[in-house]
Amino acid sequence: MTLTVSDLSVARGGLPVLEGLSFDLPPGVAVILRGPNGIGKTTLLRTIAGLQPPLKGTVTGAEDQVAYAAHADGIKLTLTVAENLAFWTRVFDHTGIDDAIESFNLTALRDRPAGALSAGQKRRLGLARMLVTGRPIWILDEPTVSLDSDHVRQFSDVVRRHLEGGGSALIATHIDLGLEGTVLNVGPFKAAPPPIDDFDGGFL
């Protein structure tokens, strides 16, 4: 299924940050978001994932199709690696965790509590969640934070395999993941600042 974004405008803290965005994300394709810190990439991803409403425009094709990975790893520290992934299979009504564990080099950590993992290991566990959701559209916000170069390449291989299987990915990142896809620079879509008289309204 193709995810379609049409004339989308999004806000943070009641103030517009991006406006007039339109693009398609068809199966088998990655769209890489670029833009300076603070411009609104996270707000855009959250809106497309359905976590907040848009100011204007529409997102179609995302209903029950999206898996979202943000800055937080989304793991329960008291559960083991395997238990965390098993929990998410139940949330998404999916089955099987072995592929996710192997794909993110977590086999030796399978029975270790998540609270005892390093930052990079937690990130890999958080990303492994994507494989147990069964969702075809992945939305990823700076997914390689805390990963070393070997595991960045491993992550890129997982995304590439997801695309080859008919999935799609929308990724905000500042690094080159070596993926073929469309680069979308959101800089030109930065919203104009509100009139001075209307500025206080963003905080009411």
Side-chain angles (χ1 to χ4, degrees):
M1 176 179 290
T2 296
L3 183 148
T4 299
V5 173
S6 302
D7 195 25
L8 192 67
S9 297
V10 301
R12 180 176 60 235
L15 298 176
V17 289
L18 296 171
E19 57 187 6
L21 273 156
S22 296
F23 64 91
D24 289 331
L25 181 63
V29 171
V31 171
I32 309 298
L33 293 184
R34 300 280 197 220
N37 289 336
I39 197 170
K41 297 187 298 295
T42 293
T43 302
L44 174 63
L45 294 181
R46 286 178 52 83
T47 303
I48 294 173
L51 299 177
Q52 66 181 67
L55 281 180
K56 179 185 176 184
T58 60
V59 177
T60 57
E63 300 82 2
D64 297 324
Q65 301 296 309
V66 166
Y68 175 63
H71 297 149
D73 294 316
I75 60 179
K76 296 182 179 295
L77 299 182
T78 58
L79 299 182
T80 67
V81 166
E83 289 168 341
N84 266 281
L85 292 174
F87 168 81
W88 285 108
T89 62
R90 293 191 293 272
V91 169
F92 286 94
D93 195 24
H94 198 60
T95 58
I97 65 172
D98 290 342
D99 180 57
I101 286 176
E102 182 177 349
S103 294
F104 282 94
N105 194 25
L106 294 167
T107 302
L109 305 171
R110 185 184 184 106
D111 297 320
R112 183 175 299 182
L117 300 177
S118 70
Q121 290 166 343
K122 288 176 182 175
R123 171 57 50 153
R124 281 153 48 201
L125 175 55
L127 292 172
R129 292 185 300 121
M130 308 300 284
L131 285 172
V132 303
T133 65
R135 297 287 177 89
I137 302 172
W138 290 0
I139 297 180
L140 301 149
D141 192 358
E142 298 294 346
T144 59
V145 171
S146 300
L147 295 184
D148 59 31
S149 58
D150 287 341
H151 288 111
V152 169
R153 287 192 293 270
Q154 185 180 57
F155 165 74
S156 296
D157 289 342
V158 170
V159 175
R160 193 173 293 109
R161 188 176 63 178
H162 177 66
L163 300 178
E164 291 171 351
S168 58
L170 177 62
I171 308 172
T173 181
H174 292 286
I175 71 171
D176 182 5
L177 296 174
L179 297 171
E180 293 186 9
T182 301
V183 175
L184 175 59
N185 181 5
V186 299
F189 301 96
K190 182 178 179 180
I196 297 299
D197 290 345
D198 293 340
F199 183 77
D200 288 343
F203 299 93
L204 297 179

